[in-house]
Amino acid sequence: MRQSNMKDVETLPVGRLAIIPLESCASLGSKVNHWISQWRHERESEHKSTIAFEGYERDSYIVGCSAPRFGSGEAKAMIDESVRGDDIYIMVDVCNYSISYRLGKYTNLMSPDDHFQDLKRVIAAISGKARRINVIMPYLYEGRQSKRSGRESIDCALALQELVNMGVENILTFDAHDDRVQNSTPLHGFETIRTAYQFIKALIHTVPDIKVDSDHLMVISPDEGGMNRAVYMANVLGVDMGMFYKRRDYSVNLENGRHPVVADEFLGADVAGKDMIIVDDMISSGDTMLEIAAMLKQKNAGRIFMFSTFGIFTNGLEKFDKAYEKGLFDYLFTTNLIYQRPDLLEKPYYVSCDMSKYIALLIDALNHDMSISSLLNPVDRINTFLEKFRNGEVE
């Protein structure tokens, strides 16, 4: 399979392709649709004119939908055209806090709960008529509440079970906070997709003078929870890894559900003079990332690059602006998998990693019921790209 455009596809589609991006994911869905439409117009196959490939080559695979609200604040989902027999891919961004709705004289911002409810409404509107329903949820709903410690709910597992009970066959997410939550639905497809390849490409294109070796580069995990991501990134780059862990005081009562942090301890080799990649799955307030960057600078680290799949920035960007002015970090990389604040895109230190082509490849392969193993594991692509970079073939 040629990953760039998959022109050699000859297997029959599972059904006519339909992409339903909810309002929260409209921009990303439009880009994904563009890639698939371009590839299928270029693709050569003697079977494209047969009935099995009916509706295969189209200018748009997007099926419109809406979720109007009643005066009470309740809502319903409406689909604009028939999807009977279609292979449907519903895209939703549960982190998109830019969308609002009116309730009387009040304006409410949509929360993750609202977005998830709209997703279920769309599935209900399909009414079991589709050939197959797949959900692409880049940020896994309630992914941070994936395990139980004490008397509390396990919201992520409950959400996944709700979706499969409604007929969803495959769920695709990115860099899940804890991918063990898929054990809640063991008989259905669940894929958590790594974004390492896109981050590495973006870093090398942005900082062409970077040296990718253990003498000049190091990967840092900001806490023990993200160690697997940092280990993976360090291994594919062939560099060392370091980790900060929070030393907590378990002798006192909980604060906001956790024991208070006494100090951040560092485990790893000497960072002096080396460039640092701090990698995490999400940035909410940004306090942890900036604290780690400041501590690395105190240890005489070189340039600092922050990688985060999901940049939510709920407390704004002022802290990042000040940290950048103080020289605490050089670049901040996040993806366009979730909503990106307009002011974020204008920052001199920000680099956006476009994931639309990657999602389009996954949808195109799944629609043909082909293996996506090579897409899920980007090691070969990373190694090929790094080899080209070291040979001076990357522009």
Side-chain angles (χ1 to χ4, degrees):
M1 179 176 67
R2 294 163 62 181
Q3 293 172 359
S4 59
N5 52 27
M6 295 175 59
K7 287 187 176 180
D8 300 328
V9 167
E10 291 294 339
T11 57
L12 293 176
V14 172
R16 191 179 68 161
L17 177 61
I19 302 173
I20 304 182
L22 274 64
E23 183 183 1
S24 61
C25 219
S27 176
L28 182 60
S30 177
K31 292 180 180 180
V32 169
N33 175 71
H34 168 75
W35 283 113
I36 296 178
S37 178
Q38 176 181 319
W39 294 335
R40 293 196 171 185
H41 279 299
E42 296 173 351
R43 184 168 294 157
E44 297 177 0
S45 173
E46 59 181 336
H47 306 296
K48 282 173 67 172
S49 59
T50 65
I51 192 171
F53 279 72
E54 183 271 329
Y56 185 78
E57 185 178 319
R58 308 200 303 275
D59 291 333
S60 178
Y61 300 89
I62 291 180
V63 173
C65 72
S66 59
R69 290 186 178 268
F70 301 100
S72 61
E74 298 165 294
K76 65 177 180 180
M78 301 173 63
I79 298 177
D80 297 344
E81 61 187 82
S82 172
V83 291
R84 186 180 295 274
D86 286 358
D87 185 25
I88 297 179
Y89 295 81
I90 307 174
M91 300 177 63
V92 59
D93 172 13
V94 299
C95 292
N96 193 331
Y97 51 85
S98 70
I99 301 175
S100 62
Y101 64 91
R102 296 284 295 177
L103 180 57
K105 63 179 181 179
Y106 301 103
T107 299
N108 294 333
L109 295 179
M110 289 188 67
S111 70
D113 293 340
D114 293 318
H115 289 300
F116 186 71
Q117 198 67 25
D118 277 355
L119 169 63
K120 293 194 294 181
R121 291 184 178 112
V122 170
I123 296 171
I126 293 170
S127 305
K129 303 298 191 299
R131 180 70 54 84
R132 186 173 67 176
I133 299 177
N134 312 271
V135 169
I136 299 176
M137 188 187 300
Y139 181 91
L140 187 60
Y141 174 71
E142 291 289 1
R144 301 181 77 178
Q145 186 55 25
S146 58
K147 61 184 178 180
R148 174 178 286 159
S149 56
R151 293 185 293 274
E152 59 185 25
S153 57
I154 314 179
D155 297 61
C156 189
L158 287 173
L160 294 179
Q161 289 181 354
E162 273 191 282
L163 293 180
V164 300
N165 288 337
M166 293 184 74
V168 174
E169 291 193 30
N170 295 299
I171 299 171
L172 277 70
T173 189
F174 288 79
D175 287 335
H177 191 70
D178 186 348
D179 57 7
R180 290 173 297 182
V181 73
Q182 65 186 291
N183 294 336
S184 61
T185 56
L187 300 181
H188 293 77
F190 180 97
E191 304 292 350
T192 177
I193 303 157
R194 299 183 185 272
T195 54
Y197 176 56
Q198 285 74 17
F199 278 125
I200 292 170
K201 280 185 64 177
L203 174 63
I204 287 176
H205 284 300
T206 306
V207 190
D209 64 336
I210 194 168
K211 296 180 180 179
V212 185
D213 58 56
S214 57
D215 293 328
H216 300 90
L217 185 64
M218 193 170 177
V219 177
I220 303 295
S221 173
D223 52 42
E224 59 272 27
M227 189 172 66
N228 286 339
R229 280 181 291 273
V231 168
Y232 181 85
M233 180 75 72
N235 282 341
V236 296
L237 289 174
V239 300
D240 292 332
M241 190 212 83
M243 182 192 77
F244 284 87
Y245 76 93
K246 300 182 184 299
R247 183 153 55 87
R248 298 182 181 273
D249 186 354
Y250 291 95
S251 65
V252 300
N253 294 327
L254 297 176
E255 293 180 2
N256 298 321
R258 293 187 174 185
H259 295 281
V261 176
V262 177
D264 286 288
E265 304 287 352
F266 179 70
L267 298 176
D270 184 16
V271 303
K274 296 181 180 179
D275 292 335
M276 300 284 115
I277 296 175
I278 307 174
V279 57
D280 207 355
D281 61 332
M282 66 175 292
I283 295 176
S284 182
S285 67
D287 290 342
T288 300
M289 277 280 201
L290 295 176
E291 288 171 5
I292 298 303
M295 286 186 281
L296 288 172
K297 281 296 185 182
Q298 290 175 0
K299 296 177 179 292
N300 299 317
R303 294 174 295 184
I304 293 181
F305 312 110
M306 298 179 178
F307 288 3
S308 181
T309 308
F310 307 108
I312 303 176
F313 305 107
T314 49
N315 292 350
L317 298 168
E318 291 78 9
K319 292 179 181 178
F320 285 89
D321 293 341
K322 293 178 180 178
Y324 178 70
E325 291 171 2
K326 293 179 180 178
L328 296 183
F329 73 96
D330 293 82
Y331 286 102
L332 169 63
F333 297 78
T334 73
T335 71
N336 64 340
L337 289 170
I338 63 171
Y339 169 70
Q340 295 170 300
R341 300 162 51 111
D343 55 339
L344 173 66
L345 300 173
E346 298 173 357
K347 298 299 181 183
Y349 53 78
Y350 178 68
V351 179
S352 176
C353 301
D354 185 9
M355 301 297 296
S356 60
K357 187 175 183 180
Y358 196 10
I359 295 175
L361 283 167
L362 290 164
I363 291 176
D364 201 18
L366 287 171
N367 181 236
H368 282 272
D369 220 12
M370 297 175 65
S371 171
I372 59 173
S373 298
S374 61
L375 294 174
L376 296 177
N377 187 0
V379 172
D380 290 340
R381 282 175 292 152
I382 292 173
N383 289 337
T384 300
F385 181 77
L386 290 176
E387 183 178 354
K388 289 182 178 179
F389 169 65
R390 292 182 177 116
N391 293 334
E393 299 173 9
V394 174
E395 298 180 359

